[in-house]
Short mmCIF file of all heavy atoms in Angstrom, two decimals:
data_model
loop_
_atom_site.label_atom_id
_atom_site.label_comp_id
_atom_site.label_asym_id
_atom_site.label_seq_id
_atom_site.Cartn_x
_atom_site.Cartn_y
_atom_site.Cartn_z
N VAL A 1 108.12 118.58 90.04
CA VAL A 1 107.83 117.53 91.05
C VAL A 1 106.83 118.16 92.09
O VAL A 1 107.19 119.19 92.71
CB VAL A 1 109.10 117.00 91.72
CG1 VAL A 1 108.68 115.97 92.75
CG2 VAL A 1 110.01 116.38 90.61
N VAL A 2 105.61 117.65 92.13
CA VAL A 2 104.61 118.15 93.03
C VAL A 2 104.48 117.08 94.20
O VAL A 2 103.89 116.01 93.94
CB VAL A 2 103.29 118.37 92.35
CG1 VAL A 2 102.28 119.01 93.33
CG2 VAL A 2 103.46 119.26 91.17
N GLY A 3 104.90 117.41 95.36
CA GLY A 3 104.92 116.46 96.40
C GLY A 3 104.00 116.69 97.64
O GLY A 3 103.56 117.77 97.77
N ASP A 4 103.80 115.69 98.35
CA ASP A 4 103.00 115.71 99.64
C ASP A 4 101.55 116.10 99.38
O ASP A 4 100.96 116.87 100.14
CB ASP A 4 103.69 116.67 100.60
CG ASP A 4 103.66 116.06 101.96
OD1 ASP A 4 103.79 114.98 102.21
OD2 ASP A 4 103.58 116.97 102.96
N ILE A 5 100.98 115.58 98.33
CA ILE A 5 99.60 115.82 97.99
C ILE A 5 98.65 114.99 98.89
O ILE A 5 98.78 113.78 99.06
CB ILE A 5 99.31 115.43 96.52
CG1 ILE A 5 100.14 116.36 95.61
CG2 ILE A 5 97.82 115.64 96.24
CD1 ILE A 5 99.85 117.79 95.69
N LEU A 6 97.76 115.69 99.58
CA LEU A 6 96.80 115.01 100.50
C LEU A 6 95.70 114.31 99.65
O LEU A 6 95.10 114.94 98.77
CB LEU A 6 96.16 116.00 101.47
CG LEU A 6 97.06 116.40 102.70
CD1 LEU A 6 98.21 117.19 102.27
CD2 LEU A 6 96.14 117.27 103.58
N ARG A 7 95.34 113.13 100.05
CA ARG A 7 94.36 112.34 99.27
C ARG A 7 92.97 112.53 100.03
O ARG A 7 92.94 112.55 101.22
CB ARG A 7 94.66 110.87 99.21
CG ARG A 7 95.92 110.63 98.40
CD ARG A 7 96.66 109.38 98.78
NE ARG A 7 95.89 108.21 98.60
CZ ARG A 7 96.19 106.96 99.07
NH1 ARG A 7 97.41 106.85 99.64
NH2 ARG A 7 95.44 105.98 98.94
N PRO A 8 91.88 112.58 99.26
CA PRO A 8 90.58 112.81 99.94
C PRO A 8 90.21 111.69 100.85
O PRO A 8 89.50 111.99 101.93
CB PRO A 8 89.56 112.85 98.75
CG PRO A 8 90.50 113.22 97.54
CD PRO A 8 91.74 112.62 97.83
N GLU A 9 90.62 110.51 100.63
CA GLU A 9 90.16 109.37 101.42
C GLU A 9 91.05 109.09 102.64
O GLU A 9 90.84 108.19 103.45
CB GLU A 9 90.13 108.08 100.58
CG GLU A 9 91.43 107.50 100.15
CD GLU A 9 92.02 108.12 98.96
OE1 GLU A 9 91.60 109.20 98.50
OE2 GLU A 9 93.02 107.52 98.38
N VAL A 10 92.14 109.87 102.75
CA VAL A 10 93.07 109.66 103.88
C VAL A 10 92.98 110.87 104.83
O VAL A 10 93.28 111.98 104.43
CB VAL A 10 94.51 109.53 103.29
CG1 VAL A 10 95.51 109.42 104.49
CG2 VAL A 10 94.66 108.38 102.39
N GLY A 11 92.59 110.58 106.10
CA GLY A 11 92.35 111.65 107.04
C GLY A 11 93.54 111.90 107.95
O GLY A 11 94.66 111.44 107.76
N MET A 12 93.29 112.75 108.96
CA MET A 12 94.32 113.22 109.81
C MET A 12 94.94 112.03 110.70
O MET A 12 96.17 112.20 111.05
CB MET A 12 93.76 114.25 110.75
CG MET A 12 94.85 114.99 111.61
SD MET A 12 94.16 116.23 112.73
CE MET A 12 93.35 117.37 111.59
N VAL A 13 94.24 111.00 110.91
CA VAL A 13 94.74 109.92 111.66
C VAL A 13 96.07 109.37 111.01
O VAL A 13 97.05 109.04 111.78
CB VAL A 13 93.72 108.81 111.83
CG1 VAL A 13 94.32 107.61 112.49
CG2 VAL A 13 92.61 109.31 112.71
N ARG A 14 96.00 109.24 109.71
CA ARG A 14 97.16 108.63 109.00
C ARG A 14 98.36 109.67 109.14
O ARG A 14 99.57 109.22 109.19
CB ARG A 14 96.85 108.45 107.57
CG ARG A 14 95.96 107.24 107.27
CD ARG A 14 96.64 105.93 107.62
NE ARG A 14 95.80 104.75 107.54
CZ ARG A 14 95.50 104.07 106.42
NH1 ARG A 14 96.13 104.46 105.31
NH2 ARG A 14 94.73 103.05 106.42
N ASP A 15 98.05 110.95 109.15
CA ASP A 15 99.16 111.94 109.32
C ASP A 15 99.78 111.72 110.66
O ASP A 15 101.05 111.86 110.88
CB ASP A 15 98.55 113.36 109.23
CG ASP A 15 98.23 113.74 107.84
OD1 ASP A 15 98.65 113.06 106.87
OD2 ASP A 15 97.51 114.82 107.65
N VAL A 16 98.96 111.53 111.71
CA VAL A 16 99.45 111.27 113.02
C VAL A 16 100.33 110.03 113.18
O VAL A 16 101.38 109.99 113.65
CB VAL A 16 98.31 111.21 114.02
CG1 VAL A 16 98.81 110.76 115.47
CG2 VAL A 16 97.61 112.59 114.19
N VAL A 17 99.87 108.93 112.54
CA VAL A 17 100.57 107.69 112.49
C VAL A 17 101.89 107.91 111.75
O VAL A 17 103.00 107.32 112.22
CB VAL A 17 99.76 106.58 111.80
CG1 VAL A 17 100.60 105.35 111.57
CG2 VAL A 17 98.51 106.22 112.62
N ALA A 18 101.95 108.58 110.68
CA ALA A 18 103.17 108.81 109.94
C ALA A 18 104.14 109.57 110.76
O ALA A 18 105.37 109.28 110.78
CB ALA A 18 102.92 109.56 108.63
N LEU A 19 103.67 110.58 111.48
CA LEU A 19 104.59 111.45 112.27
C LEU A 19 105.12 110.56 113.41
O LEU A 19 106.34 110.58 113.73
CB LEU A 19 103.80 112.55 112.90
CG LEU A 19 104.58 113.39 113.99
CD1 LEU A 19 105.85 113.98 113.38
CD2 LEU A 19 103.69 114.47 114.52
N LEU A 20 104.28 109.74 114.14
CA LEU A 20 104.76 108.94 115.24
C LEU A 20 105.74 107.87 114.77
O LEU A 20 106.73 107.59 115.45
CB LEU A 20 103.59 108.29 115.93
CG LEU A 20 102.61 109.28 116.64
CD1 LEU A 20 101.48 108.60 117.32
CD2 LEU A 20 103.35 110.11 117.69
N ARG A 21 105.52 107.28 113.62
CA ARG A 21 106.50 106.33 113.07
C ARG A 21 107.87 107.04 112.76
O ARG A 21 108.94 106.50 113.14
CB ARG A 21 105.97 105.72 111.79
CG ARG A 21 104.88 104.70 111.96
CD ARG A 21 104.49 104.08 110.68
NE ARG A 21 103.49 103.04 110.76
CZ ARG A 21 102.97 102.44 109.70
NH1 ARG A 21 103.28 102.77 108.45
NH2 ARG A 21 102.03 101.49 109.90
N PHE A 22 107.72 108.21 112.19
CA PHE A 22 108.98 108.95 111.94
C PHE A 22 109.71 109.30 113.16
O PHE A 22 110.92 109.26 113.34
CB PHE A 22 108.57 110.27 111.17
CG PHE A 22 109.71 111.08 110.67
CD1 PHE A 22 110.77 110.51 109.89
CD2 PHE A 22 109.77 112.44 110.94
CE1 PHE A 22 111.80 111.40 109.47
CE2 PHE A 22 110.79 113.29 110.51
CZ PHE A 22 111.83 112.70 109.75
N ALA A 23 108.93 109.75 114.24
CA ALA A 23 109.50 110.12 115.53
C ALA A 23 110.13 108.90 116.27
O ALA A 23 111.21 109.01 116.78
CB ALA A 23 108.41 110.72 116.41
N ALA A 24 109.49 107.72 116.19
CA ALA A 24 110.03 106.56 116.92
C ALA A 24 111.32 106.18 116.23
O ALA A 24 112.21 105.69 116.94
CB ALA A 24 108.94 105.52 116.78
N THR A 25 111.38 106.23 114.88
CA THR A 25 112.57 105.81 114.18
C THR A 25 113.75 106.70 114.52
O THR A 25 114.91 106.23 114.58
CB THR A 25 112.31 105.90 112.66
OG1 THR A 25 111.25 104.98 112.35
CG2 THR A 25 113.56 105.42 111.93
N HIS A 26 113.48 107.99 114.71
CA HIS A 26 114.60 108.95 114.87
C HIS A 26 114.73 109.53 116.34
O HIS A 26 115.52 110.47 116.50
CB HIS A 26 114.41 110.12 113.89
CG HIS A 26 114.49 109.74 112.49
ND1 HIS A 26 115.59 109.47 111.85
CD2 HIS A 26 113.51 109.45 111.51
CE1 HIS A 26 115.44 109.07 110.64
NE2 HIS A 26 114.17 109.07 110.35
N GLY A 27 113.98 108.97 117.22
CA GLY A 27 114.28 109.21 118.63
C GLY A 27 113.62 110.52 119.29
O GLY A 27 114.22 111.09 120.16
N PHE A 28 112.52 110.95 118.68
CA PHE A 28 111.87 112.07 119.32
C PHE A 28 110.34 111.79 119.53
O PHE A 28 109.53 112.71 119.48
CB PHE A 28 112.05 113.39 118.46
CG PHE A 28 111.46 113.38 117.12
CD1 PHE A 28 110.20 113.97 116.83
CD2 PHE A 28 112.06 112.87 116.01
CE1 PHE A 28 109.66 113.94 115.55
CE2 PHE A 28 111.60 112.93 114.73
CZ PHE A 28 110.29 113.40 114.57
N LEU A 29 110.07 110.60 119.93
CA LEU A 29 108.69 110.15 120.09
C LEU A 29 108.00 110.94 121.20
O LEU A 29 106.89 111.37 121.05
CB LEU A 29 108.63 108.69 120.36
CG LEU A 29 107.17 108.09 120.54
CD1 LEU A 29 106.33 108.27 119.32
CD2 LEU A 29 107.29 106.52 120.82
N ARG A 30 108.65 111.08 122.29
CA ARG A 30 108.07 111.84 123.44
C ARG A 30 107.71 113.27 123.04
O ARG A 30 106.69 113.72 123.27
CB ARG A 30 108.98 111.85 124.63
CG ARG A 30 108.43 112.63 125.84
CD ARG A 30 109.41 112.49 127.04
NE ARG A 30 109.01 113.29 128.19
CZ ARG A 30 109.06 114.60 128.34
NH1 ARG A 30 109.81 115.28 127.40
NH2 ARG A 30 108.64 115.24 129.42
N ASP A 31 108.67 113.90 122.41
CA ASP A 31 108.44 115.30 121.92
C ASP A 31 107.24 115.32 120.88
O ASP A 31 106.50 116.28 120.83
CB ASP A 31 109.66 115.86 121.19
CG ASP A 31 110.72 116.18 122.20
OD1 ASP A 31 110.44 116.38 123.40
OD2 ASP A 31 111.93 116.14 121.82
N ALA A 32 107.19 114.25 120.04
CA ALA A 32 106.12 114.26 119.05
C ALA A 32 104.71 114.15 119.70
O ALA A 32 103.77 114.79 119.30
CB ALA A 32 106.27 113.11 118.06
N LEU A 33 104.63 113.27 120.75
CA LEU A 33 103.37 113.14 121.48
C LEU A 33 102.96 114.47 122.15
O LEU A 33 101.79 114.86 122.12
CB LEU A 33 103.50 112.04 122.55
CG LEU A 33 103.57 110.66 121.93
CD1 LEU A 33 104.04 109.62 123.03
CD2 LEU A 33 102.31 110.20 121.33
N ILE A 34 103.94 115.13 122.72
CA ILE A 34 103.64 116.43 123.42
C ILE A 34 103.29 117.48 122.30
O ILE A 34 102.32 118.25 122.42
CB ILE A 34 104.88 116.94 124.15
CG1 ILE A 34 105.09 116.06 125.38
CG2 ILE A 34 104.64 118.36 124.61
CD1 ILE A 34 106.41 116.29 126.08
N GLY A 35 103.97 117.38 121.14
CA GLY A 35 103.73 118.28 120.06
C GLY A 35 102.32 118.11 119.47
O GLY A 35 101.67 119.11 119.04
N LEU A 36 101.86 116.90 119.43
CA LEU A 36 100.47 116.72 118.92
C LEU A 36 99.43 117.30 119.76
O LEU A 36 98.43 117.89 119.26
CB LEU A 36 100.22 115.19 118.80
CG LEU A 36 100.94 114.41 117.66
CD1 LEU A 36 100.78 112.97 117.80
CD2 LEU A 36 100.36 114.85 116.24
#
């Protein structure tokens, strides 16, 4: 199983959005923003 493959057409913005969604769902949004 080869996971988390980055696609050529998907840039860093989508990575940021995915992180912020994950953070908002699990209660560390403020830390995520500071971490970025």
Side-chain angles (χ1 to χ4, degrees):
V1 178
V2 184
D4 222 33
I5 299 298
L6 280 67
R7 296 154 58 187
E9 72 276 15
V10 178
M12 189 182 295
V13 172
R14 289 290 175 88
D15 288 346
V16 171
V17 171
L19 172 61
L20 292 179
R21 284 182 177 177
F22 185 53
T25 300
H26 294 284
F28 63 96
L29 182 58
R30 179 177 178 275
D31 288 335
L33 291 168
I34 294 171
L36 286 170

